[in-house]
């Protein structure tokens, strides 16, 4: 919503509308090229950027998504550009993003990685399941320590979601909870009244 004053001219509002259409078209094209999914790019632009339907916006986002998909697939092809093996991807994440020095694998993790590579599914992105308190896998090393070793205890293939999930340290795959869950503050008194809800 834009506040309109009498000194504003129609050209200003036309520029704002065109700018928003260009942003939506760019977002649609970017998602389409990155994920080879033109429909997802169009849906993202319509749902997240505009949040309403307009034939002009629909046409602009469809054209940009299809064009971006055609250009990216004809230039880059459909094969991944960076074809790293799983352990190279994990080491890159640990060294370049987390600031760690090395990775250690449990025998079970080694076995699963070998199976995933044998099945030809090693091109999936890596999802690191780790503590939220540190860039390492140790929740006691708070913040951003350097030069640590990350221990991969388990590796899971989430093929439907398109990820290889690496479980580090003592992490479990369950929804994250704060140190004191909100449920600890909820109860019912003698009269049947619920208290402690948000």
């Amino acid at each position: 919503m834009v506040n309109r004053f009498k000194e504003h001219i129609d050209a200003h509002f036309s520029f704002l509308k065109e700018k928003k259409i260009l942003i939506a078209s760019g977002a649609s094209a970017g998602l389409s090229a990155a994920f080879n999914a033109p429909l997802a790019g169009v849906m993202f632009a319509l749902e997240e950027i505009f949040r309403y339907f307009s034939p002009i916006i629909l046409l602009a986002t469809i054209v940009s998504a299809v064009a971006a998909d055609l250009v990216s697939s004809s230039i880059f092809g459909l094969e991944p550009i960076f074809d790293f093996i799983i352990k190279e991807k994990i080491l890159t994440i640990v060294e370049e993003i987390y600031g760690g020095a090395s990775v250690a694998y449990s025998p079970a993790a080694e076995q699963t990685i070998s199976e995933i590579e044998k099945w030809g599914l090693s091109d999936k992105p890596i999802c690191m399941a780790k503590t939220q308190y540190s860039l390492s896998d140790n929740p006691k090393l708070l913040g951003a320590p350097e030069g640590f070793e990350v221990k991969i205890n388990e590796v899971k293939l989430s093929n439907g979601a398109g990820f290889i999930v690496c479980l580090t340290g003592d992490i479990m795959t369950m929804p994250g909870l704060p140190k004191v869950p909100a449920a600890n503050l909820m109860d019912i008194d003698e009269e049947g009244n619920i208290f402690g809800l948000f």
Side-chain angles (χ1 to χ4, degrees), residues 37-61:
L39 185 58
V42 171
M43 294 305 295
F44 173 80
L46 292 176
E47 290 178 356
E48 299 299 326
I49 296 176
F50 271 96
R51 299 176 191 212
Y52 64 87
F53 179 81
S54 164
I56 293 171
I57 296 164
L58 178 64
L59 183 62
T61 55

Side-chain angles (χ1 to χ4, degrees), residues 84-89 110-123 164:
F84 297 120
I85 61 172
I86 295 171
K87 286 187 176 181
E88 286 178 356
K89 290 192 264 188
E110 293 267 8
Q111 168 85 25
T112 306
I113 289 171
S114 296
E115 290 173 356
I116 292 170
E117 289 175 343
K118 183 177 71 178
W119 298 331
L121 299 171
S122 60
D123 62 334
I164 297 169

Side-chain angles (χ1 to χ4, degrees), residues 13-186:
F13 291 102
S14 176
F15 168 75
L16 290 177
K17 185 176 181 181
E18 289 173 9
K19 182 179 175 184
K20 199 163 185 182
I21 290 172
L22 288 173
I23 290 170
S25 297
S28 177
L31 281 171
S32 175
F35 298 107
N36 192 26
L39 185 58
V42 171
M43 294 305 295
F44 173 80
L46 292 176
E47 290 178 356
E48 299 299 326
I49 296 176
F50 271 96
R51 299 176 191 212
Y52 64 87
F53 179 81
S54 164
I56 293 171
I57 296 164
L58 178 64
L59 183 62
T61 55
I62 287 175
V63 168
S64 62
V66 170
D69 186 51
L70 289 173
V71 168
S72 66
S73 62
S74 65
I75 291 174
F76 300 117
L78 297 176
E79 294 299 315
I81 295 172
F82 300 111
D83 195 16
F84 297 120
I85 61 172
I86 295 171
K87 286 187 176 181
E88 286 178 356
K89 290 192 264 188
I90 294 170
L91 184 62
T92 301
I93 291 169
V94 169
E95 289 179 343
E96 302 298 325
I97 298 173
Y98 297 157
S102 62
V103 181
Y105 298 91
S106 72
E110 293 267 8
Q111 168 85 25
T112 306
I113 289 171
S114 296
E115 290 173 356
I116 292 170
E117 289 175 343
K118 183 177 71 178
W119 298 331
L121 299 171
S122 60
D123 62 334
K124 308 281 185 226
I126 303 294
C127 175
M128 301 289 280
K130 55 178 254 350
T131 179
Q132 73 266 30
Y133 298 112
S134 174
L135 287 176
S136 74
D137 61 342
N138 182 352
K140 292 186 167 92
L141 287 175
L142 299 177
E146 293 181 0
F148 53 86
E149 178 181 73
V150 171
K151 294 163 197 71
I152 307 286
N153 294 322
E154 187 178 355
V155 175
K156 294 181 178 183
L157 175 64
S158 296
N159 200 32
F163 289 101
I164 297 169
V165 182
C166 299
L167 282 71
T168 66
D170 295 328
I171 201 76
M172 295 184 298
T173 53
M174 62 178 279
L177 296 173
K179 288 185 179 182
V180 179
N184 288 358
L185 305 174
M186 297 177 196

